[in-house]
Amino acid sequence: MNKKIKFGVIVFPGSNCDADCLWAIKDVLHQDAEFIWHESKNIENYDVIVLPGGFSYGDYLRSGAIARFAKVMEKINDFVNKKNKFVIGICNGFQILLEAGILPGAMLHNKNLKFICEYVNLVVENNDTPFTNKCEKGQVLKIPIAHGEGNYYCDDKTLNKLIKNDEIAFRYSTLKGEITEEANVNGSVYNIAGILNRKKNVLGMMPHPERAMIEELGSTDGKYIWESLINFIKKS
Amino acid sequence: MPKAKIYVTFKDGVLEPQGKTVKAALEKMGYKNVKDVRIGKFIEMEISDGDKEKIKKEIDEICDKLLANPNIEKYTFKIE
């Protein structure tokens, strides 16, 4: 299948990584992408919906708490339940997916209460997913984070379920892929940086793959995630 | 006009970094009797007069849907 894959990047008031995502998909990956305003209800024609980073609705109340009630979000559940449809939520997009209950858990303030903007190392926990099939299991990716509330929290029961069902995509690690307390920059439960739903067609992650696309940005490891997804869709 | 006073706080098992930081600061300031600090939200809402039970039910719904995240938070409220 040589047809270009169609990405829709949702724009909420306060999204600020929407243009970066569009650039990464169109200019670097050479696929189709367009913005979708949060009041739109027409998302069924896209292959992939991207919930970008930013500060939707000023992060008021809780990050993502208000965006999850946007009109476009009413259609997301239907979209996710369809075949060959994918959703990736990055940073604020991940927070929105959690608030919407599409992924389990919630976000707390970073353990040091600081907004952290830096490159981190992520170990690929599960490479048998539409979003990670171009990675090796245990591969370490260098991708930046930029958030104040990325301290992932879930109860033990949920964590056990995530582990049992292979729903953990990425964990904060050292450069060598070791899981340590020090590498866990924001204090997340189990060093969790990204998780999937049971069906594995929804990924939520705090690091920004769209910011690690060309050498000039310091890393191209973000491409593994987008290219895995493109690879998966083209094969299916 | 009646007012709903809503308190949203973190559940007991959830580590709350703001409270921990404030507690550490108070300790440094010499307040040794402070054993733990948890910071939450206080929301005041003006509501129209009416059947009290109905209003309570509606505020429960508002808290469940939007004001509190049941994964990490709990809430209480009173109507004055």
Side-chain angles (χ1 to χ4, degrees):
Chain A
M1 180 171 107
N2 279 322
K3 223 179 94 204
K4 284 184 179 179
I5 290 160
K6 207 169 171 197
F7 287 75
V9 180
I10 296 181
V11 182
F12 296 99
S15 294
N16 67 5
C17 301
D18 41 351
D20 288 358
C21 286
L22 203 83
W23 165 80
I25 298 161
K26 284 175 93 167
D27 292 19
V28 185
L29 301 160
H30 308 294
Q31 305 297 319
D32 278 340
E34 53 194 32
F35 291 132
I36 304 170
W37 186 236
H38 64 100
E39 286 180 326
S40 167
K41 283 190 165 185
N42 302 317
I43 58 171
E44 64 270 27
N45 291 328
Y46 298 94
D47 302 303
V48 184
I49 292 293
V50 181
L51 299 173
F55 300 85
S56 58
Y57 301 89
D59 269 357
Y60 294 159
L61 197 61
R62 294 178 308 275
S63 309
I66 300 186
R68 69 148 292 199
F69 290 105
K71 268 194 189 137
V72 72
M73 291 303 293
E74 292 170 18
K75 295 284 166 190
I76 290 280
N77 264 322
D78 286 345
F79 184 85
V80 167
N81 287 331
K82 282 188 185 146
K83 220 181 150 210
N84 289 326
K85 299 286 186 188
F86 303 87
V87 174
I88 177 167
I90 300 162
C91 198
N92 191 222
F94 185 12
Q95 293 163 338
I96 295 167
L97 289 172
L98 294 174
E99 282 287 342
I102 294 168
L103 293 173
M107 287 297 175
L108 299 170
H109 283 285
N110 294 346
K111 64 179 174 186
N112 64 0
L113 290 177
K114 286 181 182 158
F115 187 96
I116 309 171
C117 184
E118 62 186 27
Y119 270 99
V120 294
N121 297 302
L122 307 174
V123 69
V124 178
E125 191 79 358
N126 181 358
N127 69 337
D128 186 21
T129 82
F131 303 90
T132 55
N133 57 73
K134 288 244 172 194
C135 308
E136 302 287 330
K137 189 174 162 74
Q139 185 176 347
V140 178
L141 305 178
K142 183 188 166 195
I143 297 180
I145 55 165
H147 61 246
E149 286 169 61
N151 180 354
Y152 178 78
Y153 174 84
C154 65
D155 58 24
D156 289 345
K157 203 178 139 198
T158 307
L159 177 62
N160 288 335
K161 227 189 241 172
L162 288 173
I163 296 170
K164 198 180 130 230
N165 298 328
D166 287 320
E167 289 170 30
I168 299 167
F170 308 109
R171 294 171 77 189
Y172 299 108
S173 74
T174 65
L175 191 58
K176 286 181 180 164
E178 300 145 330
I179 303 297
T180 65
E181 192 51 49
E182 208 187 348
N184 194 14
V185 282
N186 51 26
S188 291
V189 162
Y190 201 64
N191 286 46
I192 284 175
I195 57 171
L196 301 139
N197 64 343
R198 187 79 185 265
K199 206 176 141 192
K200 309 286 194 292
N201 66 332
V202 179
L203 170 70
M205 63 187 293
M206 286 315 288
H208 288 267
E210 80 282 9
R211 294 190 189 180
M213 298 299 291
I214 51 172
E215 290 296 343
E216 289 87 334
L217 291 174
S219 170
T220 57
D221 287 354
K223 284 167 84 173
Y224 281 105
I225 293 160
W226 301 108
E227 283 174 355
S228 291
L229 189 53
I230 293 164
N231 179 49
F232 188 91
I233 297 171
K234 288 204 167 169
K235 274 185 181 170
S236 56
Chain B
M1 200 178 282
K3 269 184 185 167
K5 297 190 167 178
I6 305 165
Y7 300 84
V8 179
T9 50
F10 285 101
K11 283 182 178 172
D12 291 343
V14 178
L15 184 87
E16 196 273 292
Q18 281 195 73
K20 287 268 174 284
T21 308
V22 169
K23 189 204 168 242
L26 290 172
E27 223 165 69
K28 274 187 203 153
M29 289 159 72
Y31 294 104
K32 303 292 181 206
N33 289 324
V34 179
K35 296 296 171 208
D36 194 20
V37 178
R38 316 259 307 159
I39 293 178
K41 295 184 185 105
F42 172 66
I43 299 154
E44 201 173 66
M45 216 181 257
E46 278 184 32
I47 39 185
S48 46
D49 249 329
D51 178 355
K52 223 171 174 185
E53 283 312 305
K54 228 172 152 183
I55 291 171
K56 273 187 180 169
K57 219 177 133 194
E58 195 167 312
I59 291 173
D60 262 326
E61 203 179 297
I62 289 169
C63 289
D64 289 334
K65 276 191 186 166
L66 179 63
L67 298 183
N69 180 332
N71 287 303
I72 45 173
E73 294 166 325
K74 55 187 181 177
Y75 65 85
T76 57
F77 65 86
K78 53 187 177 189
I79 295 165
E80 287 175 0

